[in-house]
Amino acid sequence: MTDTTLFLSRRERFASVGSTNDVARSWLEAGTPEVCLAVADEQTAGRGREGRTWTAPPGVGLLLSLGFRPTWLEPDRVWRLAAIAASAMAEAAEEVAGLADGTIRLKWPNDLVAGGTTASKLGGLLGETVGLGTDDPRAIVGIGVNANWDRPGFPPALADVMTSVRELADGRPIDPGAVLEAFLTRIEARTIDLRAGRFDAAGWAARQVTTGRAVQLQGPDGESSYVRVLGVDPDGGGLIVDDPGTVGGRRTVMTGEIVHLRLADGSAADGLAEAASARQAPAGPPAVASGQV
């Protein structure tokens, strides 16, 4: 096991806190060097993107936040901290649970999922930044993972859309502490690489569950659209989607442009396939073309 003493400037575990992101932020504000780590058995005010909440019974989840001072990253590359954390956590959970590589996937922009076409949620990430572009940039990456949560204890309203490392391991108990240590080994190596200008874009892209699939994007204005995902942008971190109305037939969606991303159901996917076929077919009578697109 890698000794993370030199990697972590501060590491504390709490029985209960409001939010580990808030703890890491306060440390950075007080001058704590990177990389600092706050871990909690329970969060009473955990949150996700767009102000959504993140809750789990005490002791069944792995709840942590890492604090960085990324003076060594360009502001438009700071998103890569969350990307390497997501990849590191996916690998760590697979190792501890004895799962095949690639079992845990990433659902852009911030979810860890598993379960094939259903992509049940396993965990989520929340990245927050302060002072990017100044001489004192700060970045916090919070992660919540359903580690040792047994299915009978899942909230009924979420049981059909969530999973846990324990469930993926066929009910075998999972030690969140073991997942944490496996994660720290991996995030240290990835942080060292990132500081040296190396980012495993191929590995990050390969885990994306959305690539090649139809998704529903909901914007801040409430408007929704169905698109087919072509991949992810390793430079800007956006989602590349099919868009025949633009030059090149594709566009890049950034995280600030959406509130929700859902994998589309079969009917929506079929509709997109029909539309794609119509665009690729020889021109026909206008009424037919307009009706299919």
Side-chain angles (χ1 to χ4, degrees):
M1 182 180 297
T2 299
D3 182 0
T4 58
T5 303
L6 298 179
F7 172 61
L8 296 175
S9 66
R10 181 172 184 175
R11 172 178 177 170
E12 288 192 38
R13 187 180 196 96
F14 303 88
S16 179
V17 296
S19 163
T20 55
N21 264 31
D22 290 344
V23 172
R25 180 185 297 101
S26 70
W27 290 348
L28 293 174
E29 289 174 352
T32 301
E34 68 171 28
V35 177
C36 51
L37 169 70
V39 184
D41 296 325
E42 178 186 33
Q43 289 188 121
T44 59
R47 59 186 181 273
R49 290 184 68 245
E50 303 296 330
R52 293 188 287 272
T53 59
W54 179 274
T55 59
V60 303
L62 175 55
L63 310 171
L64 66 90
S65 293
L66 293 164
F68 296 88
R69 294 184 178 278
T71 54
W72 40 274
L73 268 177
E74 292 297 322
D76 62 354
R77 294 291 187 271
V78 171
W79 65 269
R80 288 180 172 177
L81 291 172
I84 64 171
S87 297
M89 185 59 76
E91 284 188 5
E94 287 172 348
E95 177 189 277
V96 173
L99 304 173
D101 292 346
T103 298
I104 297 173
R105 311 291 297 279
L106 308 179
K107 183 167 82 71
W108 187 93
N110 69 322
D111 287 345
L112 290 95
V113 300
T117 58
T118 58
S120 298
K121 186 166 180 174
L122 177 71
L125 289 86
L126 176 64
E128 298 178 312
T129 60
V130 179
L132 294 189
T134 72
D135 60 358
D136 185 24
R138 286 161 266 161
I140 304 98
V141 179
I143 309 177
V145 176
N146 302 326
N148 198 38
W149 205 340
D150 202 9
R151 172 162 283 279
F154 289 180
L158 300 175
D160 291 339
V161 295
M162 66 178 285
T163 189
S164 68
V165 182
R166 178 169 179 160
E167 183 178 10
L168 296 176
D170 296 325
R172 178 170 57 84
I174 297 295
D175 178 8
V179 180
L180 173 62
E181 296 307 321
F183 165 74
L184 289 175
T185 297
R186 288 163 172 78
I187 192 64
E188 178 178 9
R190 282 175 164 80
T191 301
I192 291 170
D193 282 345
L194 201 57
R195 284 173 178 158
R198 299 185 296 271
F199 171 60
D200 182 14
W204 172 68
R207 283 194 184 267
Q208 299 294 327
V209 74
T210 52
T211 299
R213 299 179 67 170
V215 301
Q216 180 188 20
L217 300 178
Q218 180 184 336
D221 58 1
E223 292 291 324
S224 294
S225 61
Y226 287 96
V227 296
R228 186 169 298 281
V229 178
L230 304 177
V232 283
D233 175 14
D235 294 318
L239 191 72
I240 304 171
V241 302
D242 181 45
D243 187 347
T246 62
V247 176
R250 60 179 61 193
R251 64 185 172 93
T252 301
V253 179
M254 304 305 292
T255 57
E257 299 177 50
I258 67 160
V259 175
H260 295 290
L261 180 151
R262 297 181 177 87
L263 298 178
D265 60 22
S267 60
D270 291 344
L272 278 173
E274 290 174 5
S277 297
R279 292 195 298 269
Q280 295 168 2
V288 174
S290 61
Q292 291 179 326
V293 173

